[in-house]
Amino acid sequence: MHKPQIPNLPIPAPLVGSDAGSFTEYTVTQRMPDIARRVIIENKFPTEINQSLEKLAAELPSGYLQPLVNDTGADFSDWEKYLEPYKNQRWVDIPWFVAETYFYRLILNITNYFKPGEWQGVDPFELQKTQGLETSIDSIISLCTQLQQWLNESQQENQPSKSSLIALLYFALWGNRVDLSLWSAFEDDRSRFNIQTQLNNILVDDTFAVTKLLTKSQDNCIDLVVDNAGFELICDLCLVDFLLGSGFANQVYLHLKPHPTFVSDAMIKDVHYTKDFLLQSGNIQVQALGQRLTENLASGKLVLTEDYFWTSPLPFWEIPKTLKNELAKSNLIIVKGDANYRRLLGDRYWDFTTKFADIVSYLPVPMVALRTLKSEVAAGLKSEVIVELATIDPHWLTNGQWGVIQLVD
Ligand SMILES: O=P(O)(O)OC[C@@]1(O)O[C@H](CO)[C@@H](O)[C@@H]1O
């Protein structure tokens, strides 16, 4: 069947920071300045860099976009094109997704991330990322212990267990609550949750359909579009380990960010750091996961890949051809997290009851989104659910307490 290259429907307006009283406004005018200032506090950059970061923080609420100075980043000329329509505009007036992705790219520009020299390759969010792993060690131990049991059961029964897969999909979903752009790793440990008691908070749950899809074939290749490093990445690596170890998949590609962004988004180096953290944990089950991860990477069953599309301001339907062709070989694309979900929807004001598959009609193969709600975009919800949520939890769209697992097959 011919699949359209863009959503099947007229495309609504994008979210923008000037929407008075919105979470988007709060993010551009308050959260983003706070994040820029946290970079100053958590790093030892020289005064000129800190002054530029402070200037950026101060400009966000009502100031104008600064141009990107050529910093030798591989994506520099792409950014010149992306920014062309927004020259001389205020941060709050341009589409939020462009504002946010550019904000993170500018932080790297200011901190000399790409420029040869002392600060080249220094991740300004490193401290948050490492802290995020350390504070969740107890949850990591219990998840790895449970994972080992599920793997043993699958091996004893000689067939992959659908219920264990479903449980791991839930972990991968709720792991997305641990987002360091919203809740600092120094504030609390959000990795403690009970997947059974959380069931009522899943607004759309297509997990069973996912298990059905994965039992159709014996040699699935799965592509996972990763979100945050830290505990969320551990949950994702447990899911991947089970997919490979139980026979649901024989190859998995992890799609990672090519540079630091959205504070905690995972890069290839973060996967390696996480693997070493697991290996050095001192706990047998945790180390065993690290060991299997090492083996799967060495054998090519697990492949780490990065692409500048994932840090661009482009909606998912503008995915470059080469990357789309790579994804077309997959049996299932798993898309993690809120920002990736916003990309799937182009970060636009869809009516929340719009059929998810009518928007995400442009992908060549099945795709499942695992997302906790942290922004004012949604699709595929029932109107009665929306009415109920508005009364029981006025902040349901942004507080990370609600989740969706939505499959487009
Ligand atoms: O992709 P994640 O890590 O799940 O969430 C990231 C994010 O969507 O959450 C924040 C709240 O809206 C935004 O600033 C940011 O876009």
Side-chain angles (χ1 to χ4, degrees), residues 23 27 31 96 100 176 179 181-182 227-228 262 265 337-340 342 374-375:
F23 181 75
T27 293
R31 285 186 49 238
W96 182 33
E100 245 183 342
N176 182 240
D179 174 349
S181 81
L182 278 165
D227 188 14
N228 297 297
F262 282 93
D265 278 16
D338 192 70
N340 283 322
R342 288 169 55 196
K374 295 183 265 181
S375 57

Side-chain angles (χ1 to χ4, degrees), residues 42-86:
E42 291 174 2
N43 290 278
K44 291 194 170 61
F45 291 124
T47 315
E48 319 85 83
I49 290 185
N50 288 341
Q51 281 169 346
S52 302
L53 287 167
E54 177 50 45
K55 180 173 170 282
L56 171 64
E59 276 168 3
L60 288 160
S62 57
Y64 292 79
L65 253 64
Q66 7 174 322
L68 190 67
V69 180
N70 192 349
D71 56 9
T72 72
D75 57 351
F76 172 73
S77 54
D78 288 335
W79 270 105
E80 281 197 309
K81 276 182 253 142
Y82 303 147
L83 294 172
E84 192 58 38
Y86 308 112

